[in-house]
Amino acid sequence: QVCRGLQTPQVPVWLCSVCGRHSVLFSTDSLLLSDWRRERVFHLYLYSGQREQGQTACLTVDTHSHHWEEAPREEPNSPRNRRPSLEMAIRTKWEGATISWNGTEPFF
């Protein structure tokens, strides 16, 4: 039998499979999914267990950024404009959000 703490986690946790690699994406803010005001700017932590990841990555998600504030881009399919797969997965929950890797080199 599974204990109650595992049935209902106290913090938001997502198990991800991006490009065939498994990882855990989580927040330490227990109110993230129940209080809409917390979804403005928040942190998500990523742990993949991959060799190239030395420590848990902290990503900052801004759901109220504006596309016109971004630097101008060339073609949408240009290699320079491609986004990491993990960012695209996060945007399935928070459409249009900007994600900062806070100095960590994206490894997904």
Side-chain angles (χ1 to χ4, degrees), residues 13-101:
V13 176
W14 294 272
L15 300 175
C16 304
S17 177
V18 178
C19 300
R21 297 167 129 190
H22 302 293
S23 62
V24 176
L25 190 64
F26 64 95
S27 173
T28 56
D29 185 356
S30 62
L31 298 176
L32 179 61
L33 298 178
S34 61
D35 183 359
W36 61 270
R37 292 171 288 205
R38 303 275 186 155
E39 290 188 8
R40 167 96 170 82
V41 177
F42 56 93
H43 298 288
L44 291 178
Y45 298 90
L46 173 70
Y47 180 74
S48 70
Q50 302 294 324
R51 286 188 179 144
E52 61 267 18
Q53 183 180 10
Q55 61 185 23
T56 302
C58 177
L59 287 73
T60 302
V61 180
D62 183 352
T63 60
H64 286 80
S65 61
H66 303 290
H67 67 278
W68 56 83
E69 292 175 352
E70 293 181 9
R73 298 182 186 178
E74 304 102 29
E75 303 173 21
N77 294 330
S78 162
R80 198 182 203 180
N81 292 326
R82 291 187 185 148
R83 300 287 185 214
S85 300
L86 181 67
E87 288 185 24
M88 301 310 290
I90 292 170
R91 287 189 184 110
T92 63
K93 170 70 177 153
W94 293 284
E95 186 178 349
T98 57
I99 294 118
S100 169
W101 286 74

